[in-house]
Amino acid sequence: MTRRRILLKKLPVRFLRLLRQIGQLADSQGLPLHLVGGVVRDQLLKRRNWDLDLTVDGDGPAFARVVARNLHAGVVVYDRFATARLTLPDGTKIDIASTRRESYAEPAALPDVQPASLAEDLYRRDFTINAMALRLNAEQWGELYDPYGGERDLRARKLRVLHDRSFIDDPTRIFRAVRFAQRFGFRFEHATARLLEEAARSNQIARLSGPRLRNEILLLLAEPNPSRTVAELVRLNLLRFLHPRLRFGKGVAQVMERVPMAIGWWTRSFTPPLIETGVAMLMALLHESTMAVVDGVISRLMLSGEQAQKVRWAGRPLCSIARRLASAKLISPSSLHRLLIGLPNETHLLVLAQAMAEKDRAGLARTKKRLKVFVTQLRSHKPLLRGRDLMEIGLKSGPRLGKVLGLVADAQLDGLIKTKPQALVLARRLARNIHDGSSLNHR
């Protein structure tokens, strides 16, 4: 068995069986079928990657429907691009596309596609290392097709574009070049480096839609060494396409370097982690920016409502929260709850990363302990009383009712009351105090 045939054996058994089954379906239709893209590259690099991208020399969407019927999968077809996405009952996703060539009406536009050979299909891709294919038909199972020297460039640890207009046709490749170079520790082939510099100096990126730019930025920021990756964006002066006043200073770099460590702690401490890594890193990048810059970036990237709500926290003075969490002073459970409730997990991570950057071991330990108490004990706090309970004892809806509810909730969090009858007794007393203007202190 050749080395190239052995490549596919490195995939998990369930994926191998799945690819064999799809290959048999392709044989029954008389269609050449290949596994393409990053998964082939990563098999050669001995890296984990289970993204199953298939290309068929024929009608890809029609073949996808055949596969969907046989595998009881859901299928979504994108006719404009001659592609389809299958979702299997176990959640596995498979992309199936026709081999095709692309043409661009203008730079940065979405491509027009036409049927083409496999060689032409691979030629439209971003880099040689992503322009390889593994055959999935039974007789040629596992044969590597590498017309542009992708395996050679992998061995040489080089990134090489396939043609001189690559970055102009699709400026998202500028960010992908930075991302792959940092991820794999590759250098740019000489002509590719020149083309990259020229493209970075142009304004082609400004023509990208918000969603396309957002996708590349969040993927880039989710890489293992985001601070180093952003430093390369700074070298190429690419942050200007997010906002002309966005800066990457020493303090931002220090916090960004520690966000992956904060995510590691969070993942080990809590299940499920529920973290958007790219969003957390974007918040770290913006945490010394003004709100005007933050809002400008949100607008340029056309972030979703939920993402925008999270990222706006980066423009707020989080240092005061970080200082409170790291402080040696005691913090009552109710005060800790008020300090952190309503903040997304990514904000907690940013505060933790700031504490890590301070290099105050005692302060960091207190920060971690208080975050753990909040997430595991206080965030799911269910108050003993609700507004309707207070209205039943005669309080009317309004500020007075809200104050009483808040003070009763504080007493509950601090362990001063434990039952609903105790809460009602306290509520009546607090209501009288508020009514006659006397002290509201329940302690």
Side-chain angles (χ1 to χ4, degrees), residues 147-198:
Y148 306 111
E151 187 175 18
R152 175 200 63 211
D153 285 339
L154 281 178
R155 287 197 300 268
R157 304 178 67 81
K158 286 184 178 180
L159 271 181
R160 183 194 309 269
V161 291
L162 288 146
H163 56 85
D164 287 355
R165 287 191 56 82
S166 184
F167 294 124
I168 301 301
D169 286 343
D170 185 356
T172 63
R173 291 171 178 168
I174 297 171
F175 296 100
R176 232 169 294 153
V178 172
R179 177 155 56 94
F180 289 147
Q182 295 300 320
R183 178 193 298 177
F184 301 126
F186 285 10
R187 64 187 186 279
F188 298 115
E189 174 267 335
H190 178 73
T192 299
R194 174 180 55 79
L195 293 168
L196 178 63
E197 299 275 355
E198 291 173 358

Side-chain angles (χ1 to χ4, degrees), residues 67 88 117 152 212 214 289 388 436 442:
V67 175
L88 274 61
S117 66
R152 175 200 63 211
R212 292 184 71 198
R214 175 186 68 222
S289 298
R388 62 176 177 270
D436 63 20
H442 62 269

Side-chain angles (χ1 to χ4, degrees), residues 15 17 147 162 166 222 231 261 281 311 379 408 411:
F15 289 151
R17 288 174 179 165
L162 288 146
S166 184
M261 299 165 57
M281 292 306 314
V311 171
R379 184 158 63 180
V408 171

Side-chain angles (χ1 to χ4, degrees), residues 9 13 36 57 102 113 130 190 220 222 259 288 326 358 360-361 373 378 421 442:
K9 287 193 169 289
V13 172
V36 296
D57 191 353
E102 294 177 347
V113 303
N130 293 329
H190 178 73
L220 185 146
V259 169
E288 290 187 355
E358 291 295 325
D360 174 2
R361 295 180 66 179
V373 167
L378 304 181
H442 62 269

Side-chain angles (χ1 to χ4, degrees), residues 365-377:
R366 287 189 288 267
T367 297
K368 288 180 176 179
K369 180 179 179 180
R370 286 162 175 166
L371 282 173
K372 189 169 286 190
V373 167
F374 172 76
V375 173
T376 59
Q377 301 175 31

Side-chain angles (χ1 to χ4, degrees), residues 138-359:
E139 288 190 9
Q140 301 89 10
W141 175 261
E143 289 183 1
L144 180 68
Y145 182 61
D146 179 20
Y148 306 111
E151 187 175 18
R152 175 200 63 211
D153 285 339
L154 281 178
R155 287 197 300 268
R157 304 178 67 81
K158 286 184 178 180
L159 271 181
R160 183 194 309 269
V161 291
L162 288 146
H163 56 85
D164 287 355
R165 287 191 56 82
S166 184
F167 294 124
I168 301 301
D169 286 343
D170 185 356
T172 63
R173 291 171 178 168
I174 297 171
F175 296 100
R176 232 169 294 153
V178 172
R179 177 155 56 94
F180 289 147
Q182 295 300 320
R183 178 193 298 177
F184 301 126
F186 285 10
R187 64 187 186 279
F188 298 115
E189 174 267 335
H190 178 73
T192 299
R194 174 180 55 79
L195 293 168
L196 178 63
E197 299 275 355
E198 291 173 358
R201 287 195 296 271
S202 76
N203 284 319
Q204 297 299 332
I205 290 172
R207 304 175 67 146
L208 289 172
S209 68
R212 292 184 71 198
L213 182 58
R214 175 186 68 222
N215 183 60
E216 292 303 326
I217 292 296
L218 293 184
L219 285 173
L220 185 146
L221 291 174
E223 287 292 309
N225 295 296
S227 180
R228 191 171 67 189
T229 307
V230 172
E232 181 66 6
L233 295 185
V234 172
R235 185 188 72 80
L236 293 167
N237 194 24
L238 294 176
L239 291 184
R240 74 187 194 275
F241 294 107
L242 299 184
H243 196 282
R245 296 202 303 276
L246 178 57
R247 299 291 179 266
F248 180 64
K250 181 179 178 181
V252 172
Q254 289 176 339
V255 171
M256 288 190 76
E257 287 171 0
R258 286 158 179 82
V259 169
M261 299 165 57
I263 291 175
W265 177 83
W266 189 278
T267 303
R268 292 190 299 273
S269 301
F270 311 120
T271 304
L274 298 175
I275 296 294
E276 282 191 85
T277 301
V279 169
M281 292 306 314
L282 180 60
M283 292 170 68
L285 175 62
L286 295 170
H287 84 275
E288 290 187 355
S289 298
T290 64
M291 188 58 80
V293 171
V294 172
D295 283 336
V297 172
I298 288 171
S299 177
R300 176 64 185 98
L301 297 181
M302 296 178 66
L303 297 180
S304 70
E306 183 180 356
Q307 289 172 332
Q309 188 177 27
K310 292 176 180 180
V311 171
R312 282 197 179 95
W313 280 100
R316 300 174 187 178
L318 296 178
C319 291
S320 59
I321 296 176
R323 284 194 295 269
R324 289 283 304 279
L325 290 178
S327 171
K329 294 181 180 179
L330 292 176
I331 303 179
S332 67
S334 60
S335 295
L336 185 60
H337 185 266
R338 280 197 303 274
L339 185 66
L340 297 178
I341 196 65
L343 275 64
N345 290 339
E346 290 81 0
T347 303
H348 298 154
L349 280 178
L350 184 53
V351 169
L352 178 58
Q354 288 176 312
M356 290 175 170
E358 291 295 325
K359 298 181 180 178

